[in-house]
């Protein structure tokens, strides 16, 4: 990367900044997720290389400005792993994964005591679904939580009713956001990763729509919704476990 950004290197790489490569980082992240979802180890090997390149790229830009190098970043994460795993590298104990999480968060709070609030370390720059998952998880850790799934399902019904009663586009957008947030909370209560659940539904939709496309005996423009819906139901029967 240093060679690519050298004066006689690649014009495109030399022009990049911390801001300009952010979209590529997000793209590479989701390509890693996709390879994992497909359990394609060959593709995952390649995508992880692309993913690691993003870290090298950022660090090289920072290094050129005299801030830090990739070696500094690696040293920092090594130190953090040791510091936040005293049950492995120290003399404390942690019997369960939940014990480890609680200890990790407590150490993290001690390391960053100047945070204005509990939720301040939840990034606003991440996708909204991931942000909602983290916000509800953080709040639940201090007792701001539902006792079980039943009241969350009631809340979801309540939000749907409010959407139905919404009088204008702005209100409908607000209520739809509340529905999505309640659904994320329900996923957490049920110990389901909302992102992975939605990705699973996306895969089902792709597969079922592809079945319609393969089996429709006419162009989409000439097909009726009833014909397409019939094929959709056929597709569900071919994979009942994914219904």
């Amino acid at each position: 990367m240093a060679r690519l950004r050298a004066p006689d290197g690649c014009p495109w790489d030399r022009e990049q900044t911390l801001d300009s490569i952010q979209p590529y980082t997000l793209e590479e992240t989701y390509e890693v997720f996709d390879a994992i979802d497909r359990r394609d180890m060959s593709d995952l090997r390649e995508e992880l290389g692309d993913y690691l390149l993003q870290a090298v790229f950022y660090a090289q830009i920072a290094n050129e400005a005299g801030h830090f190098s990739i070696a500094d970043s690696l040293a920092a994460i090594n130190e953090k792993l040791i510091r936040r795993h005293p049950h492995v590298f120290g003399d404390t104990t942690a019997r369960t994964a939940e014990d480890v999480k609680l200890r990790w968060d407590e150490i993290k709070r001690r390391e960053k005591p100047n945070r204005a609030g509990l939720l301040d370390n939840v990034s606003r720059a991440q996708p909204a679904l991931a942000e909602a998952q983290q916000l509800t998880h953080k709040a639940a850790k201090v007792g701001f939580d539902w006792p079980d799934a039943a009241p969350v399902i009631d809340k979801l019904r309540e939000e749907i009713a409010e959407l139905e009663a919404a009088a204008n586009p702005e209100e409908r957008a607000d209520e739809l956001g509340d529905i999505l947030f309640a659904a994320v909370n329900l996923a957490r209560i049920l110990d389901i990763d909302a992102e992975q659940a939605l990705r699973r539904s996306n895969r089902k939709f792709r597969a079922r729509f592809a079945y319609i496309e393969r089996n429709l005996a006419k162009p989409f423009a000439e097909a009726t919704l009833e014909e397409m819906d019939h094929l959709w139901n056929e597709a569900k029967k071919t994979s009942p476990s994914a219904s």
Side-chain angles (χ1 to χ4, degrees), residues 116-187:
L118 181 69
L119 303 181
D120 286 352
N121 63 349
V122 176
S123 172
R124 292 173 171 83
Q126 62 185 318
L129 183 60
E131 182 184 6
Q133 289 183 148
Q134 291 184 24
L135 288 172
T136 58
H137 182 69
K138 290 279 187 182
K141 281 193 170 183
V142 295
F144 191 71
D145 197 9
W146 303 93
D148 52 53
V152 191
I153 293 172
D154 290 339
K155 181 66 175 176
L156 195 51
R157 294 192 182 105
E158 174 188 324
E159 298 296 355
I160 292 172
E162 290 179 2
L163 174 63
E164 292 173 337
N168 56 61
E170 184 176 355
E171 287 184 9
R172 285 193 287 272
D174 284 344
E175 298 303 340
L176 182 60
D178 291 343
I179 289 171
L180 294 172
F181 194 87
V184 170
N185 228 342
L186 179 59

Side-chain angles (χ1 to χ4, degrees), residues 12-37:
W12 184 89
D13 287 288
R14 289 203 312 270
E15 288 181 359
Q16 301 314 303
T17 66
L18 294 175
D19 298 311
S20 70
I21 59 177
Q22 287 184 28
Y24 302 103
T25 305
L26 190 59
E27 178 183 337
E28 297 299 348
T29 299
Y30 281 108
E31 288 182 357
V32 167
F33 290 167
D34 180 59
I36 292 171
D37 288 343

